[in-house]
């Protein structure tokens, strides 16, 4: 071999040898071989689908108002709840209790997941607030309320962050669509394995950003769902005409106020805090025809369900201990249970939708169970 060939070989080998040396040096400086390994999101089995018994259960968690964990005190609680020892950790314990009792297939966090004014680091607060869902490996979806962005992250940053968290099915916005806000997305629930609908959506979940605060004619008001969001919703619904659907958003629409006069099931204990702008959400949902129920947050002392144009509007009730509440009125969670009809050979379409609430008391008391929809009750 000539000297020029030897020189070429050495020039090729030197970078490789240098890289090996650096790798060896880094191992000595940091003996943990996984320290530099990339962290990948842990995802649930997708797409989401009904269980083998033909059921799908959603746990709604409304208004956790999480702050800084043990350092953040409870609000409006009775002395027997813990007094000075009561903190965000009570919220975490409640979420763990409900997950263990109900074993939900999905958790829907419907806004004000953190309370910005009390959260010194929004990302850290979110990680702590959502941690039980991740700990139990439960798929979860989240939307924003009017307080989440008051800490160290914008609404867009919060939705991006939540979409990247373990077991999250949250999305920032629908791809390819110009939609107002952040956190407008669709999740389909397909048929169970072994059924003829294994690749078909049998239940559709629409998540919408209802905003935070805005100014109209010089007057402050709460946010509302905009026309671009409703246009996306109508278009998405047109692709899923044969399956029932739920909608989830934080701030109620103005028509919910009228349920005081027409009837409701549950507690109506405070005024409905909605926008002064009526953007036509109820008319849109009514014309779509697939949405059977809407699940709300925002007003912590309301936990009722009421029927508007054949669509049930249901509050989750206040969940978090740092959120305002009422002494001797336990924090609560809502459960939404959907069951399929059994065909001759396998599960087929949705047959019924039930809901109830669980109280954070000694027995995790179940209250206000009701049927929201049955296929046999379709109005002609």
């Amino acid at each position: 071999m000539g000297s020029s060939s030897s020189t070429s070989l050495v020039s090729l080998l030197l970078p490789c040898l240098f890289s090996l040396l650096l790798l060896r040096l880094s191992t000595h400086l940091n003996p943990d071989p996984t320290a530099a390994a990339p962290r990948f999101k842990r995802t649930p089995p997708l797409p989401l689908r009904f269980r083998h018994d033909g059921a799908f259960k959603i746990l709604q968690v409304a208004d956790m108002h999480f702050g800084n964990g043990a350092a953040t005190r409870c609000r409006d609680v009775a002395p027997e709840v813990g007094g000075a020892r009561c903190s965000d950790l009570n919220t975490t314990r409640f979420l763990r209790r409900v997950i263990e009792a109900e074993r939900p297939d999905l958790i829907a966090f419907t806004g004000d997941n953190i309370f910005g004014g009390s959260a010194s680091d929004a990302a850290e607060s979110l990680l702590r607030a959502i941690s039980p869902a991740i700990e139990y490996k439960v798929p979860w979806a989240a939307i924003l309320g009017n307080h989440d962005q008051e800490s160290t992250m914008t609404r867009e940053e919060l939705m991006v962050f939540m979409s990247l968290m373990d077991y999250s099915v949250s999305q920032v916005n629908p791809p390819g669509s110009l939609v107002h806000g952040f956190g407008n997305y669709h999740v389909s629930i397909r048929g169970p394995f072994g059924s003829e609908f294994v690749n078909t959506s049998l239940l559709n979940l629409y998540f919408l950003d209802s905003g935070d605060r805005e100014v109209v004619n010089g007057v402050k008001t709460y946010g509302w769902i905009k026309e671009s969001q409703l246009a996306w919703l109508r278009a998405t619904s047109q692709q899923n005409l044969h399956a029932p659907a739920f909608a989830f958003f934080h701030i109620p629409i103005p028509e919910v106020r009228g349920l005081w006069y027409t009837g409701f099931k549950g507690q109506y204990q405070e005024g409905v805090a909605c926008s002064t702008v009526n953007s036509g959400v109820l008319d849109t949902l009514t014309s779509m025809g697939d949405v059977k129920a809407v699940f709300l947050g925002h007003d912590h002392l309301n936990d009722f369900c009421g029927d508007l144009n054949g669509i049930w509007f249901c509050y989750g009730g206040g969940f978090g201990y740092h959120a305002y509440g009422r002494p001797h009125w336990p924090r609560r969670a809502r459960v939404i249970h959907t069951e399929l009809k059994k065909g001759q050979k396998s599960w087929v379409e949705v047959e019924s939708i039930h809901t109830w609430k669980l109280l954070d008391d000694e027995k995790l008391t179940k209250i206000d169970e009701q049927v929201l929809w049955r296929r046999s009750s379709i109005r002609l």
Side-chain angles (χ1 to χ4, degrees):
M1 182 182 293
S3 58
S4 61
S5 299
S6 300
T7 303
S8 299
L9 182 62
V10 170
S11 65
L12 288 171
L13 288 175
L14 272 177
C16 298
L17 292 171
F18 186 62
S19 298
L20 288 172
L21 180 62
L22 287 177
L23 180 62
R24 183 70 173 169
L25 180 61
S26 66
T27 304
H28 280 291
L29 292 175
N30 189 352
D32 182 1
T34 66
R39 171 71 166 82
F40 294 103
K41 173 183 174 178
R42 290 176 286 181
T43 59
L46 294 174
L48 300 181
R49 60 182 67 253
F50 281 82
R51 301 192 305 250
H52 64 87
D53 62 353
F56 192 86
K57 186 183 289 186
I58 301 172
L59 169 64
Q60 182 194 3
V61 176
D63 297 271
M64 282 194 293
H65 279 235
F66 209 89
N68 292 322
T72 302
R73 301 268 70 84
C74 297
R75 292 183 59 187
D76 303 327
V77 295
E80 59 267 23
V81 172
R85 296 188 303 277
C86 186
S87 71
D88 276 339
L89 300 186
N90 289 59
T91 302
T92 301
R93 281 192 289 268
F94 182 28
L95 185 50
R96 285 198 179 105
R97 290 184 72 198
V98 178
I99 291 173
E100 290 178 359
E102 292 289 346
R103 296 294 173 181
D105 301 293
L106 177 73
I107 302 175
F109 295 98
T110 52
D112 284 359
N113 310 302
I114 63 174
F115 187 65
S118 300
S120 56
D121 185 304
E124 183 64 28
S125 180
L126 269 175
L127 287 168
R128 291 182 181 183
I130 306 294
S131 62
I134 297 172
E135 175 187 338
Y136 286 91
K137 301 180 180 180
V138 182
W140 59 276
I143 50 177
L144 299 172
N146 53 293
H147 288 299
D148 296 276
Q149 77 289 340
E150 295 171 346
S151 179
T152 58
M153 299 172 76
T154 66
R155 294 177 75 81
E156 182 177 13
E157 289 168 343
L158 287 164
M159 282 309 307
V160 169
F161 185 75
M162 289 192 291
S163 73
L164 296 174
M165 289 173 65
D166 289 342
Y167 302 104
S168 171
V169 297
S170 309
Q171 300 171 38
V172 180
N173 264 336
S177 299
L178 293 176
V179 181
H180 180 87
F182 303 99
N184 304 283
Y185 57 99
H186 163 232
V187 175
S188 65
I189 313 300
R190 300 191 183 182
F193 286 117
S195 77
E196 58 184 293
F197 295 101
V198 67
N199 292 318
T200 302
S201 181
L202 297 180
L203 177 68
N204 293 295
L205 312 179
Y206 304 132
F207 295 87
L208 293 159
D209 180 7
S210 56
D212 50 285
R213 286 187 178 273
E214 299 198 28
V215 177
V216 178
N217 296 326
V219 179
K220 287 185 179 180
T221 187
Y222 284 111
W224 64 91
I225 295 170
K226 307 297 193 297
E227 176 54 36
S228 64
Q229 297 168 275
L230 297 179
W232 165 78
L233 190 60
R234 286 189 291 265
T236 306
S237 172
Q238 285 294 315
Q239 302 170 21
N240 302 285
L241 283 176
H242 302 293
F246 303 148
F248 298 85
F249 49 88
H250 183 72
I251 298 174
I253 60 174
E255 290 90 342
V256 172
R257 289 174 170 168
L259 290 170
W260 176 263
Y261 305 101
T262 59
F264 52 88
K265 187 178 182 69
Q267 298 294 313
Y268 194 144
Q269 300 184 118
E270 64 173 311
V272 173
C274 59
S275 176
T276 58
V277 175
N278 190 327
S279 61
V281 173
L282 181 59
D283 289 342
T284 295
L285 296 178
T286 303
S287 66
M288 285 162 47
D290 58 340
V291 174
K292 309 306 177 189
V294 175
F295 299 97
L296 311 163
H298 195 51
D299 301 323
H300 309 173
L301 298 180
N302 293 337
D303 71 353
F304 63 83
C305 286
D307 187 330
L308 292 170
N309 292 1
I311 302 170
W312 285 93
F313 283 73
C314 299
Y315 278 101
F319 189 98
Y321 277 84
H322 186 53
Y324 75 84
R326 179 172 290 175
H328 306 289
W329 198 69
R331 266 52 175 187
R332 55 204 60 214
R334 180 172 291 280
V335 177
I336 307 125
H337 188 256
T338 306
E339 293 181 321
L340 298 178
K341 180 181 179 180
K342 186 72 171 179
Q344 289 184 345
K345 295 182 179 180
S346 66
W347 297 106
V348 287
E349 59 198 3
V350 170
E351 182 175 48
S352 64
I353 301 164
H354 295 72
T355 188
W356 60 86
K357 298 185 292 279
L358 294 178
L359 306 183
D360 191 20
D361 57 15
E362 186 176 342
K363 297 180 179 180
L364 211 62
T365 303
K366 181 179 180 179
I367 64 169
D368 293 339
E369 184 172 5
Q370 66 182 110
V371 177
L372 296 180
W373 184 80
R374 285 189 191 277
R375 186 158 293 275
S376 60
S377 67
I378 297 177
R379 299 176 184 183
L380 301 176

